Amino acid sequence: MKPHTISNDAQLNSNGRLSHLLGLEGLPKNQIEKILDVADDLIDKKGNLQKTKILRDMSVANLFFEPSTRTRNTFEIAGKRTSAKTINVDLANSATKKNETLMDTMHTLKAMQIDMFVIRHKQNGLPHHVAENIKGVSIINAGDGINAHPTQALLDVLTIRQHKKAFDNLSVAIVGDIRHSRVARSGIQAMKTLGTTDIRLIAPETLHYKEETPGLERFDNLDQGIEGADVIISLRLQKERMIAADIPDEQTYFEGFGLTNERLKLAKPDAIVMHPGPVNRGIELSSNVADGPQSVILQQVTNGIAVRMAVMEILAGAF
Ligand code: NCD
């Protein structure tokens, strides 16, 4: 599976405003910062999320063709917090099971006057295809194959910004199944645009990118890779996207690439530990790291609501 290259023409209109959020590749820095600023303003000093009425005349449909807990529920909550009418299309019992094509389902939902579609699908580029073929609606990519997961990357950089302020002097270590991770792909694009130059990819050979990645340092040794890091992003093993030969033995994987408290001492003392979830405890992270003082995993979840509210409000034309 090859990642899908998107053109920004597909998501920016002629005035340079976002009309869809499909991916972060090439998205200008000011657009990324605007989303982060709107999201930050939705969180008060105590960390509580605000409610707005910006989408009160709009309907948002969630279409999740792949499993999801955090992304689907935070999109639903974000929609409700902006006063949108949100529906979760029950795909398991929908006409797609009667072989209706996806585009027919989409046209049918559009006829129900849905304004925004949040789409997760295993096929790379599917949200882009929908955006090109259905006019008058906004598409938000909630994860397509191994390609992109823009709102996850945005919530990740929001979390990093809240802890570290600036991006240019950061050392970021991304550990795990990089090859199959849409989170890593979008995250790297966002961090590069925001000015991070020290991005280290740490994985066994089979889980590194096949293609060249100029400017990104590769490691196959966790201890070397996380030395002095400010941010460690651990990734889930995406077994559903691997071929049998790539699937590592979990015990051996944890011994080589699992983040433990002992290993975490190699990073900066104030390093933060992130994971998009779902976490496989004892495989990617030890439980005491996942629940420890340096973990910001639950803050990422809350930030996910703020970022998704911000994206919807911007797409609705509010900012
Ligand atoms: C990620 C995804 O679906 O790509 N999860 C998420 O959105 N929180 C990462 C994963 O499933 O491993």
Side-chain angles (χ1 to χ4, degrees), residues 70-71 120 149 152 182-183 236 238 276-278:
R70 290 153 196 76
T71 308
R120 168 171 286 193
H149 194 350
Q152 177 71 44
R182 52 196 177 202
V183 175
R236 182 178 67 88
Q238 309 265 310

Side-chain angles (χ1 to χ4, degrees), residues 16-202:
R17 293 185 58 89
L18 264 193
S19 42
H20 306 284
L21 183 68
L22 303 174
L24 301 182
E25 191 175 8
L27 194 68
K29 187 176 176 185
N30 63 349
Q31 294 276 356
I32 293 182
E33 286 178 335
K34 177 165 142 182
I35 298 170
L36 302 186
D37 292 345
V38 174
D40 249 341
D41 283 348
L42 288 161
I43 306 170
D44 73 13
K45 295 215 162 40
K46 291 185 183 150
N48 295 322
L49 289 159
Q50 307 300 297
K51 290 189 180 128
T52 79
K53 300 223 175 298
I54 291 176
L55 271 80
R56 65 177 170 271
D57 297 324
M58 301 184 95
S59 301
V60 181
N62 277 330
L63 289 118
F64 279 69
F65 295 88
E66 279 193 335
S68 174
T69 301
R70 290 153 196 76
T71 308
R72 193 184 67 70
N73 288 307
T74 54
F75 262 114
E76 184 177 353
I77 291 166
K80 292 194 158 94
R81 281 192 167 269
T82 55
S83 307
K85 284 139 205 92
T86 53
I87 60 161
N88 293 310
V89 181
D90 178 8
L91 293 164
N93 295 305
S94 78
T96 47
K97 291 279 169 201
K98 297 182 185 168
N99 291 331
E100 180 177 73
T101 67
L102 182 105
M103 289 315 285
D104 279 339
T105 305
M106 299 298 302
H107 281 296
T108 304
L109 288 164
K110 190 192 163 197
M112 296 176 199
Q113 318 245 304
I114 304 283
D115 303 284
M116 277 183 208
F117 291 93
V118 179
I119 304 178
R120 168 171 286 193
H121 200 280
K122 67 175 184 197
Q123 193 183 317
N124 293 339
L126 191 279
H128 314 67
H129 178 73
V130 175
E132 275 158 17
N133 287 286
I134 300 200
K135 299 296 162 208
V137 295
S138 291
I139 306 298
I140 304 176
N141 182 358
D144 62 321
I146 62 163
N147 191 48
H149 194 350
T151 57
Q152 177 71 44
L154 289 164
L155 76 86
D156 288 346
V157 289
L158 178 65
T159 308
I160 294 172
R161 194 172 81 164
Q162 288 166 347
H163 286 271
K164 304 289 171 195
K165 311 290 178 248
F167 286 89
D168 45 357
N169 285 321
L170 285 186
S171 298
V172 179
I174 305 178
V175 187
D177 184 4
I178 290 160
R179 180 180 294 178
H180 303 101
S181 174
R182 52 196 177 202
V183 175
R185 228 172 268 278
S186 287
I188 291 166
Q189 289 159 358
M191 289 186 283
K192 276 186 163 178
T193 303
L194 293 169
T196 307
T197 49
D198 183 6
I199 301 177
R200 311 161 186 182
L201 308 182
I202 308 164

Side-chain angles (χ1 to χ4, degrees), residues 276-297:
V279 174
N280 292 306
R281 288 170 183 258
I283 299 176
E284 296 125 21
L285 298 175
S286 66
S287 270
N288 51 17
V289 170
D291 304 329
Q294 286 169 267
S295 167
V296 295
I297 294 172

